[in-house]
Amino acid sequence: DCDVPDVLPVAYYDLSRIHAFNPRGKNAYVRYPDMSVLRANEILSLLSGIAALRSHFTNTFRPDRFLIFSSRHTLACKLSTEDDPWPCRRVLHQRWLEVWGCTDERVADVLGWLNTLETHLLRTPTKGACKPCERWMHAKIKKERKDLWSNLPKFFNLVCFGVRCSLTCSLWSFRLS
């Protein structure tokens, strides 16, 4: 209504995190949006965006996909041998499985979960992994968060509302550090 399309990705993402279908009064921390202000095409964008965001997240961060073998990275692994070019992968994978299985909130607030995950991993180093491998994992999480932010207009199909992807990427860069 105010003709500021560049706030739409943040607004749609925020709406996607609201538990609209939780029975009132069950949880004091749950926010209830007034969906009556949204038009049909806006609700469709919201629902399809939620599905696209969650699908992308699940496909990207599933434990069997996130720590895929990277020959470029194995050159940096301090524990690599001829027989095992990336021994840290097993340790990082086990850690990822532990973190992956500990919360259902990862799907409800993808970016918040990644931020919490990154903070948690930074506070508690992974035993048995070398520093370059840990730094690689942190950098990969940060890159994926940035990619998710920049793809919000695509996920929520906001181009039809006048959102330009290049603007939103630079507009949100302050939130990533």
Side-chain angles (χ1 to χ4, degrees):
D1 289 345
C2 297
D3 198 28
V4 187
D6 292 329
V7 302
L8 289 177
V10 175
Y12 272 76
Y13 182 76
D14 193 43
L15 280 173
S16 77
R17 299 177 326 142
I18 294 175
H19 305 277
F21 303 106
N22 196 12
R24 292 186 187 275
K26 190 163 184 156
N27 185 340
Y29 299 105
V30 175
R31 299 177 345 198
Y32 301 96
D34 180 6
M35 294 292 201
S36 67
V37 300
L38 297 177
R39 288 172 257 169
N41 63 334
E42 295 166 336
I43 291 173
L44 183 60
S45 286
L46 176 62
L47 293 175
S48 62
I50 290 169
L53 183 63
R54 290 177 180 176
S55 174
H56 175 82
F57 175 75
T58 302
N59 289 329
T60 302
F61 289 97
R62 238 179 34 208
D64 62 328
R65 292 191 179 185
F66 185 68
L67 296 171
I68 58 171
F69 183 79
S70 169
S71 59
R72 187 173 55 179
H73 172 69
T74 57
L75 297 174
C77 181
K78 299 290 185 197
L79 303 175
S80 66
T81 64
E82 230 177 87
D83 295 333
D84 191 355
W86 194 10
C88 293
R89 183 189 186 282
R90 284 186 302 281
V91 175
L92 294 174
H93 183 74
Q94 184 58 41
R95 179 92 187 268
W96 194 255
L97 285 172
E98 291 166 11
V99 176
W100 180 262
C102 74
T103 180
D104 290 329
E105 292 176 22
R106 67 176 182 261
V107 177
D109 183 5
V110 172
L111 294 167
W113 183 80
L114 289 173
N115 189 46
T116 302
L117 171 67
E118 187 178 7
T119 303
H120 172 72
L121 291 175
L122 284 171
R123 273 196 221 129
T124 55
T126 305
K127 292 178 184 166
C130 69
K131 289 288 182 198
C133 288
E134 276 203 300
R135 281 193 299 270
W136 173 84
M137 188 163 74
H138 294 293
K140 186 166 172 80
I141 292 169
K142 193 170 210 155
K143 179 197 173 299
E144 291 298 337
R145 280 187 69 232
K146 185 175 182 177
D147 288 350
L148 279 172
W149 268 116
S150 60
N151 280 309
L152 287 179
K154 182 180 87 174
F155 292 144
F156 291 103
N157 192 26
L158 298 176
V159 176
C160 65
F161 298 113
V163 175
R164 296 186 315 232
C165 288
S166 60
L167 267 180
T168 55
C169 296
S170 61
L171 186 68
W172 301 340
S173 60
F174 71 94
R175 298 185 78 140
L176 297 174
S177 52

